[in-house]
Every structure is written in C-alpha cells, then in structure tokens.
Amino acid sequence: MTSLSSRGRENAAFEQPAGQFTEILSDSYDAEQNPSGVISLGSAENFLMHNELVEFLKANFEIDARACSYGDGAMGSTPLRSAMADHINRTFRPHTSVTMEQVMVSAGVTCVNEIFAWNLTDPGDGILLNMPIYGAFSTDLTQKTGSTLLYTPMDNVDPFSETVVEKYEKSLREAQDEGIKVRALLICNPHNPLGQCYPPTTIRRLMQFCDKHGLHLVADEVYALSVFDSGNPSALPFTSVLSLDTSGIIDPSYVHVLYGLSKDFAASGLRIGCIVSRNEELQRAVSSIARFHWPSGPSCAAATAMLSNLDWSASYISLAQDRLAQNYAVASSVLDDAGVTYHKGGNAGFFIWLNLSAHLPPSSSRDLTPIERERALAEKLLRNGVYLSTGEEFHSEEAGWFRLVFTHPEAKLREGLRR
C-alpha cells in the first residue's frame, strides 16, 4: 500500500543515476587521509581552479541585504542578467547583441534543461540527439516533462560533418512513422563527451534542417570557453550558434543557447544557469514558471561579481585554458604510453573518450551481453579504486567506451591513470 500519488510513485521508482556516485563520494581518495579511497574520474568538474575562485570571492564578494531578499524576481537579479548578457556578447561574439531580457537565469543548467523541454514539447513529443551524448539529458529532459528522446545512431558518420544531417533526417522520419511529433534538435557544442567544437558549416546545415522541419535548435554551450590547445592543429575553435547570421537560414526565435557557470568558471556549486533566446513567447513561458527554479540571492551576487570584473574573468578563463591544456597533455601522454586508444580531435571540455573495448571480459564469459561486459569492466575498475563513467551512460553505439575526466591535480590524476 502506498500513500503517494501516481506521480509520486513514478518518482520513487525512477532510476536514480547518482546513486552509485553518491556512494563513491563517501569513500573519496585523499593522498593523506584516505589513500585507498576511490579516485573518481567520472564527474565533469574542474578541480584545477577552485583555489583561484575561492580567493576571488573572499576578496570581492559580500552578502548584503539585497542578496537575502527576493531581489528582482525569479529569473535572476537585474545586475546578473545584465552582466551575463555582456559576458556572452564579449566572449560568444553573437551576430546580433544579446540583451538582458533575452537571458533567463535559473538555478543551474539542469533546471534549464527541464525548462526548455517543458516549454518546447508536450508529453510524448520528440527531441533529436546524436550518439554518444551527455547522459543526464535522459533524466533532465524527461522525468517531469514526459518528452521522448530520439537518440540518433551515427553509424561511423562524423557527427561534426555536414553529412550528419542525413542521420537526423532518417531518425526524424522513423519517429514520425511511429507517430512521434519531433519538436527540437539538441546539440552539445563543445561536445560532451567527444570534446570537439562544431564547425560553422555544420551548424548552418543543422539550422537549415531545423528550419525545413519546423524544429527548434537548442545548443548546450556550457563548455564554450573551456577550449584549449590540445596540440592538434586541425582542432577547431568554438563557434557559438549565436555568432552566425541566421538570415535566410532559420527564424532566430527557433535558436536557443543553454549556458551556466559550472564548467567555464568551475562554479558548479553556485547553481547558476541560463537560457539565451530571442523568442519572446518562450521568454514569457519561462517567466511564468521561473519561481520553481529561482536562483538564490547570494549565488546571483557571487556570479555578478565574477562576470562584472572583466580583468579577473579574462585572466581566470585564460589560466583555466592553460591548465586544461597541461592536464590533457598529461592524460593523453599516459594513455599513449599505455597503448590505450581514445577519440582524437578533442580540444574542449574536461574529458577524454576512451576505447577500452579490448579489455572487456570475453564474450563467452558467463554469456554476458556487450553492455553487461562493459558494466563488468566498470566494476573491475571500481574494485581497483578508480571510477569512470561508462559508455552506456552516454548512449554509446558500441560497448567498451568510457569517459575519463582529467581536471584533477596532477598527482591525483596520475594515480587514477595508474590504477
């Protein structure tokens, strides 16, 4: 017998993706206090920049009475929305400047994901995504909204090439044949977990595809400034979807960007995310439900201090990019020396997409399926004190791929790689 509503029962039964990770955090590695603890190379946080961030906030941020009040309402303080618009105009280089009114702040990008799905889809409507892709979309975009995620196999087609549109066309047709109304295409730019940026030519083709079918193009650009020198001369710089002239390609009210401070500013604990959209109807829709995702006053004040100090933010981002490059070089060198293959071409984000398929248990072992073999390898790694996110979590087309996060202090990173 249950005391919950049907919705409550569904929530209680919903698979908790963070369950195992919570257990790992309770036994975290510490070189002195817990040297046998688990080294998590799974959570995409930049642990290389926390000292600088804390030092800045201690010196430049104070909580005043305004930060303890309702402030300017549920979509973030006016100073923060203004500072965020200035930051995006300065660093994303939009073709048309972003205004404060087009920036809708929420309590983290996870909230932003839910908000856009809630307002762009009805229950059962589809959102196109490529494979592999950020795993938490599967909960962020569906648990409350009832949206259908249409994971599109790439079948060895380069997901950053213009020919990827053919794969989305096929996925769209199949969904329509099943009676699914497709409402949006969601991309990660830079990509998670592949760590690459989309070229402008492909973005334009995706815009044309969306315009052809009346779809919204939603770009998760949370790693926009986490681009670094990987030593690969063919690696592309970041190009925001906002930076392209949409004239004659797509109605700009169908193009939206998701952004926040968790990645580029290593400030995931502040819970500051935003939707950037020129769609006035969407702005009104977000405003009507913003009170359910209200960012805290102190977080808004801290974020405003960070974004408003142009000299500090520029030097901070530059330092972060240098450290990303250094740690990527360490991780890729160790992997190369060990003969571990991985996706080449990455120059953004905090991670490397590893191919450990050669180390999966034999297919004859206990009659395991490919996914079960991948899980068995993940469990073996965990028993040896290191946690990696599995390809299954990212909807990989092939078993044996794992995401390795390299944004840890070098000694800890090297110990995790050794394990």
Side-chain angles (χ1 to χ4, degrees), residues 144-160:
K144 289 174 66 176
T145 67
S147 303
T148 301
L149 300 191
L150 304 169
Y151 292 100
T152 301
M154 296 291 100
D155 298 323
N156 295 318
V157 167
D158 179 0
F160 305 97

Side-chain angles (χ1 to χ4, degrees), residues 84 87 92 109 221-222 224-225 257-261 264-265 273-274:
M84 183 67 81
H87 170 71
F92 287 45
V109 179
E221 298 189 345
V222 294
L225 306 182
V257 163
L258 315 179
Y259 186 64
L261 303 187
D264 290 346
F265 285 88
C274 66

Side-chain angles (χ1 to χ4, degrees), residues 80-103 221 224-225 238 240 242-243 257 259 274 276-278 307 310:
L80 174 56
R81 295 175 71 188
S82 177
M84 183 67 81
D86 289 344
H87 170 71
I88 290 170
N89 287 330
R90 190 170 59 254
T91 58
F92 287 45
R93 299 181 176 87
H95 183 265
T96 302
S97 294
V98 169
T99 68
M100 182 192 77
E101 292 76 18
Q102 295 164 349
V103 176
E221 298 189 345
L225 306 182
F238 167 68
S240 173
L242 296 173
S243 69
V257 163
Y259 186 64
C274 66
V276 182
S277 176
R278 307 185 193 282
L307 295 175
L310 304 189

Side-chain angles (χ1 to χ4, degrees), residues 5-28:
S5 66
S6 59
R7 287 179 301 190
R9 292 195 298 273
E10 289 177 3
N11 287 333
F14 202 90
E15 183 178 352
Q16 299 295 321
Q20 184 187 41
F21 189 63
T22 301
E23 296 177 9
I24 293 167
L25 291 177
S26 67
D27 186 31
S28 294

Side-chain angles (χ1 to χ4, degrees), residues 18-301:
Q20 184 187 41
F21 189 63
T22 301
E23 296 177 9
I24 293 167
L25 291 177
S26 67
D27 186 31
S28 294
Y29 167 87
D30 183 276
E32 296 182 0
Q33 301 298 322
N34 190 23
S36 63
V38 176
I39 295 179
S40 173
L41 303 181
S43 177
E45 288 193 74
N46 187 350
F47 296 98
L48 303 174
M49 297 299 297
H50 285 166
N51 289 340
E52 285 77 10
L53 178 59
V54 170
E55 288 176 6
F56 172 83
L57 290 176
K58 284 182 176 179
N60 297 275
F61 164 63
E62 292 184 358
I63 296 178
D64 57 13
R66 182 178 180 78
C68 297
S69 72
Y70 288 126
D72 299 313
M75 290 203 298
S77 68
T78 297
L80 174 56
R81 295 175 71 188
S82 177
M84 183 67 81
D86 289 344
H87 170 71
I88 290 170
N89 287 330
R90 190 170 59 254
T91 58
F92 287 45
R93 299 181 176 87
H95 183 265
T96 302
S97 294
V98 169
T99 68
M100 182 192 77
E101 292 76 18
Q102 295 164 349
V103 176
M104 295 154 276
V105 178
S106 185
V109 179
T110 296
C111 292
V112 166
N113 289 338
E114 181 185 277
I115 289 170
F116 100 73
W118 184 270
N119 286 293
L120 298 186
T121 68
D122 289 317
D125 286 351
I127 299 172
L128 291 167
L129 311 91
N130 82 299
M131 300 169 71
I133 201 162
Y134 175 57
F137 284 147
S138 62
T139 51
D140 295 356
L141 304 178
T142 68
Q143 186 170 357
K144 289 174 66 176
T145 67
S147 303
T148 301
L149 300 191
L150 304 169
Y151 292 100
T152 301
M154 296 291 100
D155 298 323
N156 295 318
V157 167
D158 179 0
F160 305 97
S161 69
E162 294 180 59
T163 55
V164 73
V165 170
E166 298 173 8
K167 296 299 178 182
Y168 289 127
E169 288 277 9
K170 181 174 183 290
S171 187
L172 177 69
R173 289 194 302 270
E174 291 173 348
Q176 291 173 336
D177 289 344
E178 295 176 9
I180 298 172
K181 184 175 183 179
V182 183
R183 301 300 302 270
L185 167 65
L186 171 61
I187 64 172
C188 288
N189 179 40
H191 194 274
N192 179 3
L194 300 181
Q196 286 182 247
C197 302
Y198 279 85
T201 52
T202 299
I203 296 175
R204 290 191 184 94
R205 284 288 290 118
L206 294 175
M207 287 180 172
Q208 290 170 340
F209 164 74
C210 289
D211 182 68
K212 174 183 175 182
H213 297 287
L215 308 181
H216 293 268
L217 176 61
V218 183
D220 176 346
E221 298 189 345
V222 294
Y223 291 100
L225 306 182
S226 297
V227 179
F228 54 88
D229 181 2
S230 64
N232 182 352
S234 64
L236 297 176
F238 167 68
T239 299
S240 173
V241 300
L242 296 173
S243 69
L244 302 183
D245 182 0
T246 59
S247 301
I249 302 176
I250 189 173
D251 182 339
S253 68
Y254 276 69
V255 178
H256 321 282
V257 163
L258 315 179
Y259 186 64
L261 303 187
S262 295
K263 310 304 181 182
D264 290 346
F265 285 88
S268 55
L270 286 184
R271 311 309 304 144
I272 293 292
C274 66
I275 300 176
V276 182
S277 176
R278 307 185 193 282
N279 189 313
E280 294 182 2
E281 186 178 23
L282 178 61
Q283 293 167 19
R284 294 193 299 273
V286 173
S287 177
S288 74
I289 62 170
R291 64 190 182 280
F292 301 116
H293 307 277
W294 201 316
S296 79
S299 288
C300 288

Side-chain angles (χ1 to χ4, degrees), residues 296-357:
S296 79
S299 288
C300 288
T304 303
M306 294 158 60
L307 295 175
S308 298
N309 192 318
L310 304 189
D311 290 339
W312 175 83
S313 62
S315 63
Y316 180 85
I317 292 296
S318 178
L319 178 61
Q321 292 171 340
D322 288 343
R323 290 181 178 173
L324 289 173
Q326 293 166 8
N327 272 41
Y328 178 86
V330 168
S332 58
S333 176
V334 171
L335 294 171
D336 288 338
D337 290 345
V340 176
T341 59
Y342 55 92
H343 177 77
K344 301 296 175 73
N347 68 324
F350 306 158
F351 28 74
I352 295 175
W353 189 233
L354 299 180
N355 184 358
L356 300 181
S357 58

